[in-house]
């Protein structure tokens, strides 16, 4: 039976913009596991409450619910160890954690102010008030103010991306010759931005962009087929 | 025959403050290889010119010179593959590269303005003019101006360290239960600061500090015995 996955959706049902959900969709593809996504909106917390989560991704595999992207990635690796590895070894799994935290804190923190105002018009109308109120409280300013400062946020992002740029100038994927979970973690951040904002975060000549294009092409163009701007 | 390593020294011969040299000294200890360090000053470029390098670390192993910390770490892993692993697998080696670039660019970039003025009085007198001129050009301001802004740089560093903090709150080392090269890369940055500045970069309650203490204790207290402030 295919795995079910609750996946954050916008007003358009096929606009899926959660970076955490993207990590898991690419991981499921990487392991060659069948799955169906269920579109989920920010205000539909009761739907996933049975799985002890207020956020997506949540997967349901053979009746068992698993929440939180890091927990799900570990569950998939442990449960489907005969499939292509997401981590490969115990120490590789440990090394992946810093990629996870760096992406959650530093990379998302740098991308957020650039794209957050563009999320609003893509949201289901039921989600818009909740989104504006919660995000403006978290960011400490209005969405419009953030948009006005976009150029300076883009410049700060360019600096944040420099270690990633240098790494991907030296090798095709973060995990080497082929992608593994750390690649999917970082790629999720770009897929989030791509799905809701037409602001290009990386230029065509950037090694990060070449890597992103390779992952857009992966799994028969799975990530590229998703609605997005660039 | 013991490996020779050119190691950046201050006015006091045993004050060794290069973060790149610390990466390699801990790697040599990790592999249980005998080595002797040769104190080297910034203005002694002719001494290492035969090894096609203007910077340390440079090691000489059985008459063969190898320069650049990343290159040396790879050389040690490939040459002494029967010893304890610095990387462990091809993909772990690839994953280590982002730690290397993140430390070089982001972490050193955040620590530098905090400690750079404290380096000057520790330098060999021959090195001081060169150091002030080259660093002020690179940082675009005087060493004294940087010191005056120290509080704001400390606050920025605290943010930069957050992904590291979250990672080390979840596991004892970046590589998991035991340290590997990515731990030595990041630790080198703290060893640099410890050796030349009395400004504590992390507080005792910080998981990063617990990890740092474990590495100061490693190899019979090798890194702790080096002159340092905290």
């Amino acid at each position: 039976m295919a795995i079910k996955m609750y996946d954050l959706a916008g007003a358009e049902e096929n606009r899926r913009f959660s970076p955490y959900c993207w990590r898991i969709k690419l991981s499921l593809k990487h392991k060659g596991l069948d799955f169906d996504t269920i579109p989920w909106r920010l205000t539909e917390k009761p739907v996933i409450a049975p799985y002890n989560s207020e956020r997506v991704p949540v997967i349901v595999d053979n009746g068992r619910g698993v929440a939180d992207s890091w927990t799900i990635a570990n569950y998939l690796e442990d449960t489907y160890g005969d499939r292509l590895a997401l981590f490969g070894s115990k120490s590789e799994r440990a090394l992946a954690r810093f990629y996870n935290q760096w992406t959650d804190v530093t990379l998302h923190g740098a991308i957020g102010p650039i794209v957050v105002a563009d999320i609003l018009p893509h949201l289901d109308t039921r989600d818009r008030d909740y989104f504006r109120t919660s995000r403006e409280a978290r960011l400490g300013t209005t969405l419009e103010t953030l948009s006005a400062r976009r150029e300076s946020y883009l410049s700060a992002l360019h600096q944040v991306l420099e270690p990633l740029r240098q790494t991907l100038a030296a090798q095709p994927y973060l995990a080497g010759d082929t992608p593994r979970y750390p690649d999917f973690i970082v790629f999720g951040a770009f897929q989030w931005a791509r799905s809701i904002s037409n602001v290009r975060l990386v230029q065509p000549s950037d090694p990060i962009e070449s890597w992103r294009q390779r992952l857009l092409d992966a799994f028969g163009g799975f990530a590229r087929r998703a609605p997005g701007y660039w």
Side-chain angles (χ1 to χ4, degrees), chain A:
Chain A
M1 202 172 71
I3 292 170
K4 279 199 309 186
M5 180 183 136
Y6 292 93
D7 190 13
L8 184 63
E12 302 155 83
E13 189 170 291
N14 64 346
R15 190 168 303 271
R16 307 294 174 90
F17 62 96
S18 160
Y20 306 100
C21 290
W22 276 107
R23 297 177 192 179
I24 299 307
K25 285 183 282 187
L26 292 197
S27 297
L28 290 163
K29 281 286 181 187
H30 183 76
K31 285 209 169 279
L33 294 165
D34 283 336
F35 65 99
D36 298 314
T37 61
I38 302 160
W40 178 90
R41 269 74 183 216
L42 289 169
T43 43
E44 296 183 299
K45 298 201 190 299
V47 176
I48 55 172
Y51 309 108
N52 298 311
S53 185
E54 296 205 319
R55 300 184 201 178
V56 291
V58 169
I59 66 162
V60 185
D61 184 20
N62 287 315
R64 180 179 170 179
V66 187
D68 175 74
S69 61
W70 179 258
T71 306
I72 295 170
N74 280 274
Y75 167 84
L76 293 175
E77 185 77 342
D78 295 336
T79 308
Y80 300 100
D82 53 328
R83 307 288 183 111
L84 199 56
L86 286 168
F87 298 109
S89 71
K90 203 177 157 196
S91 53
E92 234 186 283
R93 194 183 297 218
L95 288 178
R97 197 187 283 270
F98 177 69
Y99 286 85
N100 201 74
Q101 305 318 116
W102 178 79
T103 302
D104 288 3
V105 174
T106 305
L107 184 54
H108 288 180
I111 293 176
I114 301 168
V115 305
V116 72
D118 291 338
I119 298 179
L120 200 67
H122 288 101
L123 287 179
D124 192 90
T125 48
R126 290 170 292 170
D127 285 358
R128 291 186 193 183
D129 284 350
Y130 168 82
F131 183 83
R132 179 184 279 274
T133 309
S134 62
R135 266 47 175 188
E136 291 188 344
R138 186 191 298 172
L139 297 160
T141 185
T142 65
L143 299 184
E144 289 71 19
T145 304
L146 292 171
S147 292
R149 295 187 199 143
R150 188 170 267 170
E151 282 308 313
S152 80
Y153 289 124
L154 275 167
S155 164
L157 173 66
H158 192 79
Q159 289 302 308
V160 161
L161 290 175
E162 183 58 22
L164 195 66
R165 184 173 297 122
Q166 292 181 3
T167 301
L168 294 169
Q171 58 196 40
Y173 295 99
L174 295 171
D177 294 332
T178 55
R180 282 185 167 179
Y181 194 60
D183 290 277
F184 303 149
I185 295 172
V186 180
F187 179 73
F190 289 96
Q191 200 65 355
W192 164 44
R194 172 185 181 271
S195 67
I196 43 91
S197 172
N198 63 6
V199 179
R200 274 194 170 267
L201 301 186
V202 278
Q203 296 310 306
S205 60
D206 193 320
I208 299 169
E209 178 63 4
S210 310
W211 162 84
R212 193 180 74 93
Q213 291 294 331
R214 285 191 285 275
L215 285 171
L216 284 168
D217 286 338
F219 316 119
F222 173 73
R224 195 187 292 284
R225 277 198 303 279
Y229 290 93
W230 47 285

Coordinates of all heavy atoms in Angstrom, one line a residue, chain A residues 37-104:
Chain A
T37 N 0.3 12.1 -2.1 CA 0.3 13.3 -1.2 C -1.2 13.7 -1.0 O -2.0 13.6 -1.9 CB 1.1 14.5 -1.7 OG1 0.6 14.9 -3.0 CG2 2.6 14.1 -1.9
I38 N -1.5 14.2 0.2 CA -2.8 14.8 0.5 C -2.6 16.3 0.8 O -1.8 16.6 1.7 CB -3.3 14.1 1.8 CG1 -3.4 12.6 1.6 CG2 -4.7 14.7 2.2 CD1 -3.5 11.8 2.9
P39 N -3.2 17.1 -0.1 CA -3.0 18.6 0.2 C -3.6 19.0 1.5 O -4.6 18.5 2.0 CB -3.8 19.2 -1.0 CG -4.7 18.2 -1.5 CD -4.1 16.8 -1.2
W40 N -2.8 19.8 2.2 CA -3.2 20.2 3.6 C -2.9 21.7 3.7 O -1.9 22.2 3.2 CB -2.3 19.4 4.6 CG -2.4 19.7 6.0 CD1 -3.3 19.1 6.9 CD2 -1.7 20.7 6.8 NE1 -3.2 19.6 8.1 CE2 -2.2 20.6 8.1 CE3 -0.7 21.6 6.5 CZ2 -1.7 21.4 9.2 CZ3 -0.2 22.4 7.5 CH2 -0.8 22.3 8.8
R41 N -3.9 22.4 4.4 CA -3.7 23.8 4.6 C -3.3 24.1 6.1 O -3.7 23.4 7.0 CB -5.0 24.6 4.2 CG -5.0 25.0 2.7 CD -5.2 23.8 1.8 NE -5.1 24.2 0.4 CZ -5.9 23.6 -0.5 NH1 -6.8 22.7 -0.2 NH2 -5.8 24.0 -1.8
L42 N -2.7 25.3 6.2 CA -2.2 25.7 7.6 C -3.2 25.6 8.7 O -2.9 25.3 9.8 CB -1.6 27.1 7.5 CG -0.3 27.3 6.7 CD1 0.0 28.7 6.5 CD2 0.8 26.6 7.4
T43 N -4.5 25.9 8.3 CA -5.6 25.9 9.3 C -6.2 24.6 9.6 O -7.1 24.5 10.4 CB -6.6 26.9 8.9 OG1 -6.9 26.8 7.5 CG2 -6.2 28.4 9.1
E44 N -5.7 23.5 8.9 CA -6.3 22.2 9.0 C -5.6 21.4 10.1 O -5.4 20.2 9.9 CB -6.3 21.5 7.7 CG -7.2 22.1 6.7 CD -7.2 21.3 5.4 OE1 -6.2 21.1 4.7 OE2 -8.3 20.9 5.0
K45 N -5.3 22.0 11.2 CA -4.5 21.3 12.3 C -5.2 20.1 12.8 O -4.6 19.0 13.1 CB -4.1 22.3 13.4 CG -3.2 23.4 12.9 CD -2.4 24.0 14.0 CE -1.7 25.3 13.6 NZ -0.7 25.1 12.5
P46 N -6.6 20.1 12.9 CA -7.3 18.9 13.4 C -7.0 17.7 12.6 O -7.0 16.5 13.1 CB -8.8 19.3 13.4 CG -8.7 20.8 13.5 CD -7.5 21.2 12.7
V47 N -6.8 17.8 11.3 CA -6.6 16.7 10.4 C -5.4 15.9 10.8 O -5.4 14.6 10.7 CB -6.5 17.1 8.9 CG1 -6.2 16.0 8.0 CG2 -7.8 17.9 8.5
I48 N -4.3 16.6 11.2 CA -3.1 15.8 11.6 C -2.9 15.6 13.1 O -1.9 15.0 13.5 CB -1.9 16.5 10.9 CG1 -1.8 18.0 11.3 CG2 -1.9 16.3 9.4 CD1 -0.4 18.6 10.9
A49 N -3.9 16.2 13.9 CA -3.8 16.0 15.3 C -3.6 14.6 15.8 O -2.9 14.3 16.7 CB -5.0 16.7 16.0
P50 N -4.3 13.6 15.1 CA -4.1 12.2 15.5 C -2.7 11.7 15.5 O -2.3 10.7 16.1 CB -5.0 11.4 14.5 CG -6.0 12.4 14.0 CD -5.3 13.8 14.0
Y51 N -1.9 12.4 14.7 CA -0.5 12.0 14.6 C 0.4 12.8 15.5 O 1.7 12.9 15.3 CB 0.0 12.1 13.1 CG -1.0 11.4 12.2 CD1 -1.8 12.1 11.3 CD2 -1.1 10.0 12.2 CE1 -2.8 11.4 10.6 CE2 -2.0 9.3 11.4 CZ -2.8 10.0 10.6 OH -3.7 9.4 9.8
N52 N -0.2 13.5 16.5 CA 0.6 14.3 17.4 C 1.5 15.4 16.8 O 2.6 15.6 17.2 CB 1.5 13.4 18.3 CG 0.6 12.4 19.1 OD1 -0.4 12.9 19.7 ND2 0.9 11.2 19.1
S53 N 0.9 16.0 15.7 CA 1.7 17.0 15.1 C 0.8 18.2 14.7 O -0.4 18.0 14.5 CB 2.4 16.5 13.8 OG 3.2 17.5 13.3
E54 N 1.4 19.4 14.7 CA 0.6 20.6 14.2 C 1.2 21.0 12.9 O 0.8 22.0 12.4 CB 0.8 21.7 15.3 CG 0.2 21.4 16.6 CD -0.2 22.7 17.3 OE1 0.6 23.6 17.3 OE2 -1.3 22.7 17.9
R55 N 2.2 20.3 12.4 CA 2.8 20.7 11.2 C 3.0 19.5 10.2 O 3.0 18.4 10.7 CB 4.2 21.2 11.5 CG 4.2 22.5 12.4 CD 5.6 23.0 12.5 NE 5.7 23.8 13.7 CZ 6.8 24.3 14.1 NH1 8.0 24.1 13.4 NH2 6.9 25.0 15.2
V56 N 3.2 19.8 9.0 CA 3.5 18.8 8.0 C 5.0 18.9 7.7 O 5.6 20.0 8.0 CB 2.7 18.9 6.7 CG1 1.2 18.6 7.0 CG2 2.8 20.3 6.1
P57 N 5.7 17.9 7.2 CA 5.1 16.6 6.7 C 4.7 15.7 7.8 O 5.3 15.7 8.9 CB 6.2 16.0 5.9 CG 7.5 16.5 6.6 CD 7.1 17.9 7.0
V58 N 3.6 14.9 7.5 CA 3.3 13.8 8.3 C 3.1 12.6 7.3 O 2.4 12.9 6.3 CB 1.9 14.0 9.1 CG1 1.4 12.6 9.7 CG2 2.1 15.0 10.2
I59 N 3.7 11.5 7.5 CA 3.4 10.4 6.6 C 2.6 9.3 7.4 O 2.7 9.2 8.6 CB 4.7 9.7 6.0 CG1 5.6 9.1 7.1 CG2 5.5 10.8 5.2 CD1 6.6 8.1 6.6
V60 N 1.9 8.5 6.7 CA 1.2 7.4 7.2 C 1.6 6.2 6.4 O 1.4 6.1 5.2 CB -0.3 7.5 7.2 CG1 -1.0 6.4 7.9 CG2 -0.7 8.9 7.9
D61 N 2.3 5.2 7.1 CA 2.9 4.1 6.4 C 2.3 2.8 7.1 O 2.6 2.6 8.3 CB 4.4 4.1 6.5 CG 5.1 3.0 5.7 OD1 4.4 2.4 4.8 OD2 6.2 2.7 6.0
N62 N 1.5 2.0 6.4 CA 0.9 0.8 7.0 C 0.2 1.2 8.3 O 0.3 0.4 9.3 CB 2.0 -0.2 7.2 CG 2.5 -0.9 5.9 OD1 1.7 -1.2 5.1 ND2 3.8 -1.0 5.8
G63 N -0.5 2.3 8.3 CA -1.3 2.6 9.4 C -0.6 3.4 10.5 O -1.1 3.8 11.5
R64 N 0.7 3.5 10.4 CA 1.6 4.1 11.4 C 1.9 5.6 10.9 O 2.4 5.8 9.8 CB 2.9 3.3 11.5 CG 3.8 4.0 12.6 CD 5.1 3.2 12.7 NE 6.0 4.0 13.5 CZ 7.2 3.6 13.9 NH1 7.6 2.4 13.5 NH2 8.0 4.4 14.6
G65 N 1.6 6.5 11.8 CA 1.8 7.9 11.5 C 3.2 8.3 12.0 O 3.6 8.0 13.1
V66 N 4.0 9.1 11.2 CA 5.3 9.6 11.6 C 5.3 11.1 11.2 O 5.0 11.4 10.0 CB 6.4 8.8 10.9 CG1 7.8 9.3 11.5 CG2 6.3 7.3 11.0
A67 N 5.7 11.9 12.1 CA 5.7 13.4 11.9 C 7.1 13.9 12.0 O 8.0 13.2 12.7 CB 4.8 14.1 12.9
D68 N 7.4 15.1 11.5 CA 8.6 15.8 11.5 C 9.6 15.3 10.5 O 9.9 14.1 10.5 CB 9.3 15.7 13.0 CG 10.6 16.4 13.0 OD1 10.7 17.6 13.0 OD2 11.6 15.6 13.1
S69 N 10.1 16.2 9.7 CA 11.0 15.7 8.5 C 12.2 14.9 8.9 O 12.5 13.9 8.3 CB 11.4 16.9 7.6 OG 12.1 17.8 8.3
W70 N 12.9 15.3 10.0 CA 14.1 14.6 10.4 C 13.7 13.2 10.9 O 14.4 12.2 10.6 CB 14.8 15.4 11.5 CG 16.1 14.7 12.0 CD1 16.2 14.0 13.2 CD2 17.3 14.6 11.3 NE1 17.5 13.5 13.3 CE2 18.2 13.9 12.2 CE3 17.8 15.1 10.1 CZ2 19.5 13.6 11.9 CZ3 19.2 14.8 9.8 CH2 20.0 14.0 10.7
T71 N 12.6 13.1 11.7 CA 12.2 11.8 12.2 C 11.7 10.9 11.1 O 12.0 9.7 11.1 CB 11.0 12.1 13.2 OG1 11.5 13.0 14.2 CG2 10.6 10.8 13.9
I72 N 11.0 11.5 10.1 CA 10.6 10.7 8.9 C 11.8 10.2 8.1 O 11.8 9.0 7.7 CB 9.6 11.6 8.0 CG1 8.3 11.9 8.8 CG2 9.3 10.8 6.7 CD1 7.5 13.0 8.1
A73 N 12.8 11.0 7.9 CA 13.9 10.6 7.1 C 14.6 9.4 7.8 O 15.0 8.4 7.2 CB 14.9 11.7 6.9
N74 N 14.7 9.5 9.1 CA 15.3 8.4 9.9 C 14.5 7.2 9.9 O 15.0 6.1 9.7 CB 15.6 8.9 11.3 CG 16.9 9.7 11.4 OD1 18.0 9.2 11.6 ND2 16.8 11.0 11.3
Y75 N 13.2 7.4 10.0 CA 12.2 6.3 9.9 C 12.4 5.5 8.5 O 12.4 4.3 8.5 CB 10.8 6.8 10.1 CG 9.7 5.7 9.7 CD1 9.3 4.7 10.6 CD2 9.2 5.7 8.4 CE1 8.4 3.8 10.2 CE2 8.2 4.8 8.1 CZ 7.9 3.8 9.0 OH 6.9 2.8 8.6
L76 N 12.4 6.3 7.5 CA 12.5 5.7 6.1 C 13.8 4.9 6.0 O 13.9 3.8 5.4 CB 12.4 6.8 5.0 CG 11.1 7.5 4.9 CD1 11.1 8.6 3.9 CD2 9.9 6.5 4.5
E77 N 14.9 5.5 6.5 CA 16.2 4.9 6.4 C 16.2 3.6 7.1 O 16.7 2.5 6.7 CB 17.3 5.8 6.9 CG 18.7 5.3 6.7 CD 19.3 5.4 5.3 OE1 18.5 5.6 4.3 OE2 20.5 5.3 5.1
D78 N 15.6 3.6 8.3 CA 15.6 2.4 9.2 C 14.7 1.3 8.7 O 14.9 0.1 8.8 CB 15.3 2.8 10.6 CG 16.4 3.7 11.3 OD1 17.5 3.6 10.8 OD2 16.0 4.4 12.2
T79 N 13.5 1.8 8.2 CA 12.5 0.8 7.7 C 12.8 0.3 6.4 O 12.5 -0.9 6.1 CB 11.1 1.6 7.7 OG1 10.9 2.2 9.0 CG2 10.0 0.6 7.5
Y80 N 13.4 1.1 5.5 CA 13.7 0.6 4.1 C 15.2 0.7 3.9 O 15.7 1.3 2.9 CB 12.9 1.5 3.2 CG 11.4 1.5 3.4 CD1 10.7 2.5 4.1 CD2 10.7 0.4 2.9 CE1 9.4 2.4 4.3 CE2 9.3 0.3 3.2 CZ 8.7 1.3 3.9 OH 7.3 1.2 4.1
G81 N 15.9 -0.1 4.8 CA 17.4 -0.1 4.7 C 17.9 -0.8 3.5 O 19.0 -0.7 3.1
D82 N 17.0 -1.6 2.8 CA 17.4 -2.4 1.6 C 17.4 -1.5 0.4 O 17.9 -1.8 -0.7 CB 16.5 -3.6 1.4 CG 15.0 -3.2 1.4 OD1 14.6 -2.2 2.1 OD2 14.3 -3.8 0.7
R83 N 16.7 -0.3 0.5 CA 16.7 0.6 -0.6 C 17.9 1.6 -0.6 O 18.7 1.6 0.3 CB 15.4 1.5 -0.5 CG 14.1 0.7 -0.4 CD 13.8 0.1 -1.7 NE 12.5 -0.7 -1.6 CZ 11.4 -0.3 -2.3 NH1 11.4 0.8 -3.0 NH2 10.3 -1.0 -2.2
L84 N 18.1 2.4 -1.6 CA 19.1 3.3 -1.8 C 19.2 4.2 -0.5 O 18.2 4.6 0.1 CB 18.9 4.2 -3.0 CG 20.0 5.1 -3.6 CD1 21.2 4.2 -4.0 CD2 19.5 5.8 -4.8
A85 N 20.5 4.4 0.0 CA 20.7 5.0 1.3 C 20.4 6.5 1.3 O 20.8 7.2 0.3 CB 22.1 4.8 1.8
L86 N 19.7 7.0 2.3 CA 19.6 8.5 2.5 C 20.8 9.0 3.3 O 21.2 10.2 3.2 CB 18.3 8.8 3.3 CG 17.0 8.7 2.5 CD1 15.9 8.8 3.5 CD2 16.9 9.8 1.5
F87 N 21.4 8.1 4.1 CA 22.5 8.5 5.0 C 23.7 7.6 4.7 O 24.8 8.1 4.4 CB 22.2 8.4 6.5 CG 21.0 9.4 6.9 CD1 19.8 8.8 7.2 CD2 21.2 10.7 6.9 CE1 18.8 9.7 7.6 CE2 20.2 11.6 7.3 CZ 19.0 11.1 7.6
G88 N 23.6 6.3 4.8 CA 24.7 5.5 4.5 C 25.4 4.9 5.6 O 25.8 3.7 5.6
S89 N 25.7 5.7 6.6 CA 26.4 5.2 7.8 C 26.0 6.0 9.0 O 25.3 7.0 8.9 CB 27.9 5.3 7.6 OG 28.3 6.7 7.7
K90 N 26.3 5.5 10.2 CA 25.9 6.1 11.4 C 26.5 7.5 11.5 O 25.9 8.5 11.9 CB 26.4 5.3 12.6 CG 25.6 5.5 13.9 CD 26.1 4.6 14.9 CE 25.8 5.2 16.3 NZ 26.6 4.5 17.4
S91 N 27.8 7.6 11.1 CA 28.4 8.9 11.2 C 27.9 9.9 10.1 O 27.8 11.1 10.3 CB 30.0 8.8 11.2 OG 30.4 8.1 10.1
E92 N 27.6 9.3 9.0 CA 27.0 10.2 7.9 C 25.6 10.8 8.4 O 25.3 11.9 8.1 CB 26.8 9.4 6.7 CG 27.4 10.0 5.4 CD 27.1 9.3 4.2 OE1 27.6 8.2 3.9 OE2 26.2 9.8 3.5
R93 N 24.9 9.9 9.1 CA 23.6 10.4 9.7 C 23.9 11.5 10.7 O 23.2 12.5 10.7 CB 22.9 9.2 10.3 CG 21.4 9.5 10.6 CD 20.8 8.4 11.4 NE 20.7 7.1 10.6 CZ 19.7 6.3 10.6 NH1 18.6 6.6 11.3 NH2 19.7 5.1 9.9
A94 N 24.9 11.3 11.5 CA 25.2 12.4 12.4 C 25.7 13.7 11.7 O 25.3 14.8 12.1 CB 26.4 11.9 13.4
L95 N 26.5 13.5 10.7 CA 27.0 14.7 9.9 C 25.8 15.4 9.2 O 25.9 16.6 8.9 CB 28.0 14.3 8.9 CG 29.4 13.9 9.4 CD1 30.3 13.4 8.2 CD2 30.0 15.0 10.2
A96 N 24.8 14.7 8.9 CA 23.6 15.3 8.2 C 22.9 16.3 9.1 O 22.2 17.2 8.6 CB 22.7 14.2 7.7
R97 N 23.0 16.1 10.4 CA 22.2 16.9 11.3 C 22.6 18.4 11.2 O 21.7 19.2 11.3 CB 22.3 16.4 12.8 CG 21.3 16.9 13.7 CD 21.5 16.6 15.1 NE 21.2 15.2 15.4 CZ 20.0 14.8 15.9 NH1 19.0 15.6 15.9 NH2 19.8 13.5 16.2
F98 N 23.8 18.7 11.1 CA 24.2 20.1 11.0 C 23.6 20.7 9.7 O 23.2 21.9 9.7 CB 25.8 20.2 11.0 CG 26.2 21.6 10.8 CD1 26.0 22.6 11.8 CD2 26.9 22.0 9.7 CE1 26.5 23.9 11.7 CE2 27.3 23.3 9.5 CZ 27.1 24.3 10.5
Y99 N 23.6 19.9 8.6 CA 23.0 20.4 7.4 C 21.5 20.8 7.7 O 21.0 21.8 7.2 CB 23.0 19.4 6.3 CG 24.3 19.2 5.6 CD1 25.3 18.3 6.2 CD2 24.7 19.8 4.4 CE1 26.5 18.1 5.6 CE2 25.9 19.6 3.8 CZ 26.8 18.8 4.4 OH 28.0 18.6 3.8
N100 N 20.9 19.9 8.5 CA 19.5 20.1 8.8 C 19.3 21.4 9.6 O 18.4 22.3 9.3 CB 19.0 18.9 9.7 CG 17.5 18.7 9.7 OD1 16.9 18.3 8.7 ND2 16.9 19.1 10.8
Q101 N 20.1 21.6 10.6 CA 20.0 22.8 11.5 C 20.4 24.0 10.8 O 19.8 25.1 11.0 CB 20.7 22.6 12.8 CG 20.4 21.3 13.6 CD 18.9 21.0 13.7 OE1 18.5 20.0 13.2 NE2 18.2 21.9 14.3
W102 N 21.5 23.9 10.0 CA 21.9 25.1 9.3 C 20.9 25.6 8.3 O 20.6 26.8 8.1 CB 23.2 24.8 8.5 CG 23.7 25.9 7.6 CD1 24.4 27.0 8.1 CD2 23.6 26.1 6.2 NE1 24.7 27.8 7.0 CE2 24.2 27.3 5.9 CE3 22.9 25.3 5.2 CZ2 24.2 27.8 4.6 CZ3 22.9 25.8 3.9 CH2 23.6 27.0 3.6
T103 N 20.2 24.6 7.6 CA 19.1 25.0 6.7 C 17.9 25.6 7.4 O 17.4 26.6 7.0 CB 18.7 23.7 5.9 OG1 19.9 23.2 5.2 CG2 17.6 24.1 4.9
D104 N 17.5 24.9 8.5 CA 16.3 25.4 9.3 C 16.6 26.8 9.8 O 15.7 27.7 9.7 CB 16.1 24.5 10.5 CG 15.5 23.2 10.1 OD1 15.4 22.9 8.9 OD2 15.2 22.4 11.1

